[in-house]
Amino acid sequence: MPISIKDVAAKAGVSPSTVSRVLANNPRISPETSERVRMVLKELNYHPNEIARSLVRQETRTLGLILPNAIDQFFLNPFFPEVLRGISQAARKLGYDLFLSTASQGLNDVERLDQMVQSKRVDGVILLTVKLDDPLLKRVQDNHVPAVLIGRSPDQAMVSSINNDNKKAGYDATMHLLKLGHQHIGFIGGSPELILTIDRLSGYAQALNDANVPFDPQLVTSEEFLEEGGYTGMMKLLALPTRPSAIIASDDVLAFGAMRAAGELGYHIPQDLAIVGFNDIPLAKIANPPLTTMNVHIFELGEGAATMLIDQIANGSITPTKTQIVPHNLIVRRSCGAWNPTNNLVSHLS
Amino acid sequence: MPISIKDVAAKAGVSPSTVSRVLANNPRISPETSERVRMVLKELNYHPNEIARSLVRQETRTLGLILPNAIDQFFLNPFFPEVLRGISQAARKLGYDLFLSTASQGLNDVERLDQMVQSKRVDGVILLTVKLDDPLLKRVQDNHVPAVLIGRSPDQAMVSSINNDNKKAGYDATMHLLKLGHQHIGFIGGSPELILTIDRLSGYAQALNDANVPFDPQLVTSEEFLEEGGYTGMMKLLALPTRPSAIIASDDVLAFGAMRAAGELGYHIPQDLAIVGFNDIPLAKIANPPLTTMNVHIFELGEGAATMLIDQIANGSITPTKTQIVPHNLIVRRSCGAWNPTNNLVSHLS
DNA sequence: TTGTAAGCGTTATCAC
DNA sequence: GTGATAACGCTTACAA
């Protein structure tokens, strides 16, 4: 049986409340008692029961992560550890722990949110994906749950969010290929329900439009958010009567699947086919050829999300929703055919 | 203010205890009341306060992860998401959630353990690394904390653990290179304090011994557990008067750093230098050349750890400590020079 | 400056 | 079958 505050109190010859006050650094406590209590604290190696503390304080100093229900897919994408690294760094700095709800996977998103929040095990939640018209957002708004979305909310007033300007990012990536002279550019995206996909695709379409290149729906494919999805998408695109000469993959993992498909069919990258991905995962740099990709600063997304959330928790959710945009920048490597040796970007293994 | 069990009770015209019993599917409750209460439960969208529940039940149905204090390094290694995927799958199946303590990073390992356990926020912990003579293990034993170590405990009686036979794995990897005719085999390891490093290195030494190849301390280097560490280690080894013709890297990430170093200096793999890694991270398959590596089944390590831990929690920690070994197997790809096309292992991008 | 007591939302032990 | 009541370990008015 672990030692409680009463044990400490007894041993120090004071009341539990006094111990509690010492723990809280309450100023109106005599230096002597404080000292004496602290001795006992150390001696007994006392650590407060945070559960009891949470119950009375009505706060847990814990952030909940609402992972997509395709949790396995999510873990497999290098996006995950990187965003978690950002979240955890900010959480650590601000004195918060992290809670991952895995138990309630049978439930739908809204039920999982309700459970996590009403079970009072977390003070707020970070949402990691949204679909179009996601009921999650409305629920968050209705229940005044402190929450930050990593991604874009269709209605910004509903929930605070941190995101890239994905439309612009899609635009920039596409424009890069257009400027290299490509006229047939394929787009391999994740689920068409994901706002991420929608935004990047719309940037792609906008760029084509601005360059007076016709938008061809056949050149757009939506696949599972896995390496295998990229592979399948690429196979479809290469089977078209008029093959694309360049590909935008809305995620590096998709890009690698696409590269694998191209490689198997004997295409050379970038000579036969230019490829641009998104995320700048570690693999992008050391792949062969190194992948040109849009760096979306995943770490900062996580860090910012946690910071915003904790801020929201501290200030009560009365504060208006905020929207923060993390900048993106294209990392030009070899896969798009525009690589310039003076960049001194990784050149080994080639 | 969220609805409590009292609100439900009031609305259903029963006492809180009755509601509690309905929630617990207590048999001695009349079908009518049960039905009526359930209606209200749905209507009010009630979810029990798990904090209050935990306080009285003295259990949280949550597993704690004790991450290495080099938390950033750990997140950056693909080992992490994979082991977490395994842990989370088992946890989900058995109805447990996950808790990551990030807040207490200022503390040392033992203090972090004490805090996590005594704060009662978790029912048990998964330990993710151990050093030689790690005080963590003794603490776990002394305090009878339900715990499972992913790795090897110097004293198996101290704590349950799940691990690979890393000595054998090191032996097998080295023997593979010896059989290919290599006589100068370098070893790039992580911290020499880590039991993981020690075991794999000892297998390496044993294999050399069995093959009557002298052990040369100069061929062994210990580096930071990062890509950069592999790079540095390789640079050191290649600078030796008698260069190794083959390298064992005790982690794929180190192997990739090593490959980068070799590439920058103009060495070709596997012609000039054979390389074998450990872990079979996703990158290993699609790197150029694809990396020969020891698959240690990380997912199973995580899954097994969570399963063992939950079992231990359920049966009280009176049960004797258990040791489980997850098998390993060498995945032969191109980087070691023994690749055989009939393996039909990934051949693209090459 | 310190102690007493109420209460956080549940579950569990009694009665009835 | 169901309802009071007492914990669980802590914090925090309110007293003293």
Side-chain angles (χ1 to χ4, degrees):
Chain A
M1 58 235 62
I3 52 268
S4 81
I5 202 171
K6 287 185 187 172
D7 302 317
V8 177
K11 187 143 194 167
V14 295
S15 78
S17 29
T18 300
V19 178
S20 177
R21 282 189 267 255
V22 171
L23 254 22
N25 289 313
N26 190 316
R28 34 184 223 179
I29 203 94
S30 83
E32 303 84 56
T33 23
S34 173
E35 178 64 12
R36 188 152 37 91
V37 170
R38 276 179 216 286
M39 298 285 287
V40 180
L41 250 23
K42 289 273 172 276
E43 191 184 337
L44 265 37
N45 189 31
Y46 170 81
H47 292 263
N49 181 325
E50 294 291 342
I51 293 291
R53 213 174 227 193
S54 296
L55 185 59
V56 50
R57 287 192 178 154
Q58 301 284 60
E59 68 162 30
T60 56
R61 295 195 75 84
T62 301
L63 270 26
L65 263 48
I66 302 271
L67 304 176
N69 20 25
I71 189 171
D72 262 13
Q73 275 187 36
F74 194 63
F75 279 150
L76 287 173
N77 195 310
F79 180 90
F80 167 69
E82 188 63 5
V83 76
L84 185 56
R85 198 166 68 87
I87 291 171
S88 112
Q89 185 175 91
R92 171 174 51 219
K93 241 181 235 159
L94 300 167
Y96 277 73
D97 289 312
L98 262 27
F99 183 81
L100 304 191
S101 175
T102 65
S104 50
Q105 290 296 328
L107 309 176
N108 69 36
D109 286 344
V110 171
E111 288 167 334
R112 280 164 56 212
L113 175 74
D114 282 353
Q115 214 214 308
M116 191 183 266
V117 170
Q118 295 198 35
S119 72
K120 289 287 167 189
R121 288 170 66 140
V122 300
D123 294 342
V125 295
I126 295 179
L127 307 173
L128 280 149
T129 42
V130 256
K131 296 179 178 162
L132 212 50
D133 292 324
D134 202 318
L136 219 47
L137 300 180
K138 193 161 166 26
R139 188 51 145 260
V140 160
Q141 187 183 31
D142 291 350
N143 293 9
H144 299 94
V145 181
V148 171
L149 166 67
I150 297 185
R152 181 172 70 79
S153 167
D155 173 1
Q156 295 200 351
M158 284 181 125
V159 62
S160 286
S161 62
I162 183 166
N163 198 18
N164 305 108
D165 184 341
N166 278 311
K167 180 166 180 186
K168 182 71 164 42
Y171 184 95
D172 292 348
T174 310
M175 198 45 91
H176 177 73
L177 289 171
L178 286 165
K179 284 195 178 143
L180 291 173
H182 293 282
Q183 297 277 316
H184 288 82
I185 304 178
F187 183 96
I188 302 179
S191 161
E193 301 234 283
L194 292 176
I195 290 182
L196 181 84
T197 306
I198 295 168
D199 285 352
R200 289 180 183 169
L201 182 58
S202 96
Y204 158 88
Q206 180 71 52
L208 293 183
N209 186 66
D210 285 6
N212 290 313
V213 171
F215 175 90
D216 178 357
Q218 288 217 72
L219 285 174
V220 174
T221 169
S222 290
E223 308 295 336
E224 261 208 318
F225 233 121
L226 291 172
E227 199 266 0
E228 196 58 39
Y231 181 91
T232 311
M234 188 60 137
M235 285 297 183
K236 287 182 193 164
L237 293 179
L238 289 176
L240 290 174
T242 49
R243 263 196 293 276
S245 66
I247 301 288
I248 302 266
S250 77
D251 185 287
D252 284 351
V253 170
L254 292 174
F256 286 113
M259 283 170 79
R260 181 163 63 91
E264 281 186 14
L265 296 181
Y267 292 92
H268 292 274
I269 296 169
Q271 299 91 323
D272 305 330
L273 217 38
I275 298 201
V276 175
F278 275 82
N279 277 6
D280 193 25
I281 65 177
L283 174 50
K285 186 160 52 171
I286 54 184
N288 183 38
L291 182 66
T292 291
T293 184
M294 190 62 76
N295 183 358
V296 298
H297 302 279
I298 301 170
F299 181 88
E300 281 83 350
L301 286 170
E303 201 183 17
T307 306
M308 287 172 79
L309 179 55
I310 292 170
D311 185 68
Q312 198 180 127
I313 291 168
N315 298 323
S317 48
I318 316 111
T319 49
T321 61
K322 286 178 187 147
T323 304
Q324 189 172 326
I325 297 295
V326 172
H328 59 266
N329 59 292
L330 190 69
I331 311 275
V332 178
R333 299 202 181 93
R334 301 212 177 163
S335 70
C336 65
W339 185 72
N340 173 353
T342 62
N343 286 356
N344 100 327
L345 288 162
V346 185
S347 61
H348 65 289
L349 296 185
S350 52
Chain B
M1 55 236 63
I3 51 271
S4 80
I5 202 170
K6 288 184 185 172
D7 302 316
V8 178
K11 187 143 194 167
V14 294
S15 76
S17 7
T18 301
V19 177
S20 178
R21 280 189 268 254
V22 171
L23 254 23
N25 287 313
N26 189 317
R28 35 181 221 183
I29 203 96
S30 85
E32 303 84 57
T33 26
S34 172
E35 178 64 12
R36 188 152 36 91
V37 170
R38 275 177 217 286
M39 298 284 288
V40 181
L41 250 22
K42 290 274 171 273
E43 192 185 337
L44 297 180
N45 189 31
Y46 169 83
H47 293 264
N49 181 324
E50 294 291 342
I51 294 290
R53 213 174 227 191
S54 296
L55 184 60
V56 52
R57 286 193 180 155
Q58 302 281 60
E59 67 161 29
T60 56
R61 293 196 76 83
T62 301
L63 269 27
L65 264 48
I66 303 271
L67 304 176
N69 20 25
I71 188 168
D72 262 13
Q73 275 188 36
F74 194 62
F75 280 147
L76 286 173
N77 195 310
F79 179 90
F80 167 68
E82 187 63 5
V83 77
L84 185 56
R85 198 167 68 87
I87 291 171
S88 112
Q89 183 175 91
R92 170 174 53 221
K93 241 182 233 158
L94 299 167
Y96 276 72
D97 289 313
L98 263 29
F99 182 83
L100 305 192
S101 175
T102 66
S104 50
Q105 290 296 326
L107 310 176
N108 70 34
D109 286 344
V110 171
E111 289 166 335
R112 281 163 57 213
L113 175 73
D114 282 353
Q115 212 214 308
M116 189 181 269
V117 170
Q118 294 198 36
S119 73
K120 288 286 167 192
R121 289 169 68 139
V122 301
D123 294 342
V125 296
I126 294 179
L127 307 173
L128 279 149
T129 40
V130 256
K131 295 179 177 164
L132 212 51
D133 293 323
D134 202 319
L136 217 48
L137 301 179
K138 191 159 168 30
R139 188 51 145 259
V140 160
Q141 188 183 31
D142 290 349
N143 293 8
H144 300 92
V145 181
V148 171
L149 165 68
I150 297 185
R152 181 173 71 81
S153 167
D155 173 0
Q156 295 200 350
M158 283 181 125
V159 60
S160 286
S161 62
I162 182 166
N163 197 19
N164 304 109
D165 183 342
N166 278 312
K167 178 164 181 189
K168 182 70 166 40
Y171 184 95
D172 292 348
T174 310
M175 200 42 95
H176 176 74
L177 289 171
L178 286 165
K179 285 196 178 143
L180 291 174
H182 294 282
Q183 296 276 315
H184 288 82
I185 304 177
F187 183 95
I188 302 178
S191 161
E193 300 234 285
L194 292 175
I195 291 183
L196 183 83
T197 306
I198 296 169
D199 284 353
R200 289 179 183 168
L201 182 58
S202 98
Y204 158 88
Q206 180 72 52
L208 293 183
N209 186 65
D210 286 6
N212 292 311
V213 172
F215 175 89
D216 178 359
Q218 289 217 67
L219 285 174
V220 174
T221 169
S222 290
E223 309 294 337
E224 261 208 318
F225 234 122
L226 289 172
E227 200 264 1
E228 197 58 39
Y231 181 92
T232 310
M234 188 60 138
M235 285 298 181
K236 287 182 192 165
L237 293 180
L238 289 176
L240 290 173
T242 49
R243 263 197 291 277
S245 66
I247 301 288
I248 302 268
S250 78
D251 185 287
D252 284 350
V253 170
L254 292 175
F256 285 114
M259 284 169 78
R260 181 163 64 90
E264 280 186 16
L265 296 181
Y267 292 93
H268 292 274
I269 296 169
Q271 298 90 323
D272 305 329
L273 216 38
I275 298 200
V276 175
F278 275 83
N279 277 8
D280 193 25
I281 66 178
L283 172 52
K285 187 160 54 172
I286 54 184
N288 183 37
L291 182 66
T292 291
T293 183
M294 190 61 75
N295 182 355
V296 298
H297 302 280
I298 301 169
F299 182 87
E300 281 84 350
L301 286 170
E303 200 183 18
T307 307
M308 286 172 80
L309 179 55
I310 292 170
D311 185 68
Q312 199 180 127
I313 291 167
N315 299 323
S317 50
I318 317 113
T319 49
T321 61
K322 286 177 187 147
T323 303
Q324 189 173 327
I325 297 294
V326 172
H328 59 265
N329 59 291
L330 191 70
I331 311 275
V332 178
R333 299 201 181 94
R334 298 210 179 165
S335 70
C336 65
W339 186 74
N340 173 353
T342 62
N343 288 355
N344 98 326
L345 289 163
V346 185
S347 62
H348 66 288
L349 296 184
S350 53

